[in-house]
Amino acid sequence: MTARLIDGKAIAASIRERLKNSVAEFQNSTNVTPKLAAILVGEDPASQVYVRNKEQACAKAGIASEVHRLSGTITQSELLDLVARLNSDKTVHGILVQLPLPKQINETTVLDSVTPLKDVDCFHPENVGRLAQGRPRFLPCTPHGVQVLLRESNVNVDGTHVVVLGRSEIVGKPVGLMLVQKGETANATVTICHSRTRNLTEMTRSADILIAAIGKPEFVTREMVKPGAVVIDVGINRVEDKLLGDVAFDEVSSVASAITPVPGGVGPMTIAMLLENTLMAAKLQGTVNKIT
Ligand code: GUN
């Protein structure tokens, strides 16, 4: 079998085109331009690229953005002051704190300080709690990107066994939560595997849909995949100037029925979902401001 390629780049491009129109409509009817504020601390090269890509994507969609580039030696209280300022700035609708943060800063404290109505990453416990209960405000960008990829490529999720490799707060846990819920492109039986899972190959081979999000280059090999399974690769690993996913693409393509490439799979979807969340945040704040 040669797997069908799930083209995240093309799917994300069409979503962004549609979103551009929605942003223009919102702007025409409210005179408000949605705005994303991103905070980048330190000099991490990958984070610099991600933030620049987010900035450019905002501009193309008609969303305003501002990037706060801060020294890697900033104190936690300085960073919390900045978040507080952005929380109360009525022209800012979405706030994104790019991770990772330097060691002297407690990531949880900073992420918890972002007001839930501007939490476009869906990292705040209130928003994660809502997600867990099946009444989400924002959907987390990468997990939502995975779900939309499955939907747009007509993969049936209902009743299938989804195995997630990785239990991170950003991808593994929330994607599992989303796909197990009642609803469209959901209703799956979900198993979340991690570094302590026993009989890992047995687990992954029982997956109808395998989602790899462990950050280990080419970890998933041919024998770990059931023939005909759909494989979603969330990994982005830089190895000797090459980008590799968590899946050994060539060998797994010969056994899977559909697969996402790296780059050009999940990555572009994450940004498209961030833009959608920023527009939604602007709409939400418009509603709240009218009520109060
Ligand atoms: N670092 C790596 N991925 C992400 C993400 O989705 N959001 C943020 N804020 N930081 C990240």
Side-chain angles (χ1 to χ4, degrees):
M1 183 180 297
T2 303
R4 169 167 68 98
L5 202 67
I6 298 178
D7 187 348
K9 203 171 160 189
I11 295 171
S14 81
I15 290 171
R16 281 169 59 171
E17 205 47 49
R18 232 180 299 140
L19 184 82
K20 195 174 159 179
N21 294 331
S22 308
V23 170
E25 270 171 35
F26 174 76
Q27 201 171 20
N28 287 339
S29 62
T30 61
N31 253 335
V32 173
T33 305
K35 191 202 257 187
L36 175 72
I39 302 176
L40 174 60
V41 185
E43 311 281 321
D44 181 69
S47 292
Q48 287 175 332
V49 173
Y50 291 145
V51 169
R52 203 174 319 122
N53 288 345
K54 289 168 186 175
E55 234 181 325
Q56 286 170 356
C58 281
K60 283 187 188 154
I63 292 174
S65 68
E66 57 185 40
V67 179
H68 298 262
R69 291 183 167 82
L70 307 173
S71 150
T73 60
I74 193 173
T75 65
Q76 178 155 314
S77 83
E78 286 171 310
L79 184 52
L80 290 172
D81 284 348
L82 171 60
V83 174
R85 247 195 303 126
L86 297 173
N87 280 342
S88 54
D89 183 337
K90 285 202 160 41
T91 71
V92 167
H93 306 101
I95 301 172
L96 178 144
V97 182
Q98 186 66 30
L99 302 178
L101 291 171
K103 283 192 235 4
Q104 76 275 16
I105 291 171
N106 183 319
E107 221 159 77
T108 306
T109 306
V110 173
L111 296 179
D112 287 2
S113 75
V114 173
T115 188
L117 288 175
K118 298 189 180 184
D119 173 34
V120 286
D121 258 329
C122 192
F123 288 164
H124 193 283
E126 181 180 314
N127 288 326
V128 179
R130 294 188 67 110
L131 181 76
Q133 291 187 339
R135 49 187 187 128
R137 178 182 284 136
F138 297 107
L139 293 171
C141 301
T142 302
H144 191 205
V146 168
Q147 193 177 38
V148 173
L149 272 186
L150 292 169
R151 187 187 72 210
E152 294 299 309
S153 44
N154 297 314
V155 174
N156 176 42
V157 178
D158 199 305
T160 62
H161 185 205
V162 171
V163 174
V164 181
L165 276 180
R167 54 177 158 179
S168 71
E169 306 297 337
I170 297 190
V171 184
K173 277 194 214 168
V175 81
L177 271 176
M178 287 172 67
L179 297 179
V180 81
Q181 299 287 352
K182 288 183 182 165
E184 276 185 31
T185 321
N187 287 325
T189 301
V190 173
T191 304
I192 300 183
C193 298
H194 47 78
S195 53
R196 299 297 194 90
T197 299
R198 293 184 192 153
N199 307 324
L200 188 64
T201 295
E202 209 176 286
M203 291 287 181
T204 58
R205 272 192 79 88
S206 74
D208 302 305
I209 300 171
L210 180 60
I211 300 174
I214 39 169
K216 292 191 178 152
E218 301 189 325
F219 180 85
V220 176
T221 51
R222 188 177 197 280
E223 56 285 355
M224 294 172 75
V225 178
K226 176 165 79 175
V230 172
V231 178
I232 306 291
D233 191 350
V234 183
I236 303 179
N237 308 288
R238 197 168 287 277
V239 181
E240 292 162 4
D241 267 4
K242 257 179 71 179
L243 279 189
L244 295 178
D246 289 350
V247 176
F249 182 85
D250 289 344
E251 60 180 89
V252 171
S253 294
S254 69
V255 64
S257 63
I259 189 168
T260 59
V262 175
V266 175
M269 296 299 292
T270 298
I271 294 191
M273 299 301 111
L274 173 69
L275 300 174
E276 280 195 347
N277 279 354
T278 305
L279 173 60
M280 202 177 108
K283 288 180 178 172
L284 270 175
Q285 277 148 68
T287 319
V288 170
N289 290 340
K290 271 189 204 112
I291 294 166
T292 53

